[in-house]
Amino acid sequence: PPAISTPPLPAALPPVFRSIFRNPYPNDERSRAYAVMNNVFLHLHPVRVRQHAVKFAYTFCLGGLSFFLFLVLTVTGVYLMFFYAPSATQAYSDILRIQSEVPFGLLTRNIHRWAAHLMVFFVFLHMMRVFYHGAYTNPPASSTGWSAWSCFLTLFLSFTGYLLPWDQIAYWAITIGSNMAGYAPLFNTPSKILLLAGLEVSGNTLLRFYVLHIMVFPLVAAVFLAVHFWRIPHRAARAGGGGGRH
């Protein structure tokens, strides 16, 4: 097909404006399509979406709620990071200081904790809704795999964050969880050493869980969410009547 061409912006406009808005205001179908395809943010979405894809569906906004809770956890987690050190001799005292001395520390920690619980709940419900509504059938398994991996990442985030208070409940909960990994066939001891940075829960385990909790798993989850959000409108635009069920 012939290339889409639009008239250039007036030369009298400032260079900064021209660097942000590279095309004039779209006034027909071709210029609107070109504006979407040439924009770094808008090009993630299809130019055209079928009517059935924008109809109301019984998704219960579970995916949106999960993403909102992920943003809440990111904001509150960054705030808590300023007052916490992943040290076996200092972590528990930092938690007490956050709850008693840091402005809005107790509120922020409680929001972070309850948002983590709710995110696990809503991500699990979101995966179950995709499965029971049959949204994975068109095309086959296009979204269920991403939902399952998102659920596992959410559980990993909660598991690594559970140790950070460094109290008795956290210590023995991670000990029990790591002992369960120790019963895996063939990879029992290597998996336990990889998980705990040793044979038992120690300060090295706390540091490893802290890095996984604040950096590795959030970045992986952000990549999965970006790909998941990118696939949904493209899948809905290409699918038939069943695509709108997701």
Side-chain angles (χ1 to χ4, degrees), residues 44 62-71 74 119 123 126 146-147 149-151 153-154 157 217-233:
L44 297 175
L62 296 174
L65 289 172
S66 302
F67 178 65
F68 171 74
L69 292 171
F70 180 78
L71 296 179
T74 301
M119 185 176 174
V123 168
H126 178 58
W146 294 101
S147 300
W149 279 111
S150 299
C151 185
L153 283 172
T154 304
L157 281 167
F217 288 147
L219 289 178
V220 175
V223 172
F224 269 80
L225 287 172
V227 176
H228 186 59
F229 292 157
W230 178 81
R231 288 171 62 92
I232 290 174

Side-chain angles (χ1 to χ4, degrees), residues 10-196:
L13 293 176
V16 176
F17 185 89
R18 291 171 57 86
S19 65
I20 300 175
F21 303 97
R22 301 185 178 185
N23 303 103
Y25 185 80
N27 53 10
D28 56 14
E29 186 175 357
R30 291 173 62 88
S31 59
R32 284 194 293 268
Y34 186 78
V36 170
M37 291 185 294
N38 199 39
N39 188 282
V40 66
F41 298 107
L42 298 180
H43 86 280
L44 297 175
H45 300 274
V47 176
R48 294 184 182 89
V49 179
R50 297 187 181 183
Q51 185 177 3
H52 69 81
V54 295
K55 288 182 179 180
F56 177 79
Y58 294 99
T59 62
F60 308 108
C61 199
L62 296 174
L65 289 172
S66 302
F67 178 65
F68 171 74
L69 292 171
F70 180 78
L71 296 179
V72 171
L73 288 167
T74 301
V75 174
T76 55
V78 169
Y79 182 75
L80 294 174
M81 285 171 58
F82 286 107
F83 312 101
Y84 178 84
S87 171
T89 59
Q90 191 176 344
Y92 183 69
S93 59
D94 285 346
I95 295 296
L96 297 179
R97 186 167 63 89
I98 288 174
Q99 296 184 150
S100 59
E101 300 178 11
V102 175
F104 303 103
L106 179 60
L107 176 64
T108 305
R109 181 171 182 256
N110 286 335
I111 292 176
H112 191 81
R113 181 167 61 92
W114 281 106
H117 297 332
L118 290 174
M119 185 176 174
V120 173
F121 178 70
F122 282 120
V123 168
F124 179 77
L125 289 182
H126 178 58
M127 185 178 66
M128 290 296 99
R129 189 208 64 81
V130 172
F131 177 77
Y132 285 115
H133 282 196
Y136 59 90
T137 58
N138 191 5
S142 61
S143 299
T144 309
W146 294 101
S147 300
W149 279 111
S150 299
C151 185
F152 286 133
L153 283 172
T154 304
L155 293 176
F156 292 152
L157 281 167
S158 296
F159 184 73
T160 53
Y162 204 86
L163 182 65
L164 301 187
W166 199 242
D167 54 6
Q168 288 293 317
I169 296 178
Y171 179 88
W172 291 110
I174 301 303
T175 300
I176 294 173
S178 60
N179 287 337
M180 294 173 62
Y183 285 100
L186 300 180
F187 301 101
N188 45 11
T189 302
S191 62
K192 191 172 183 179
I193 294 176
L194 180 65
L195 184 65
L196 301 181

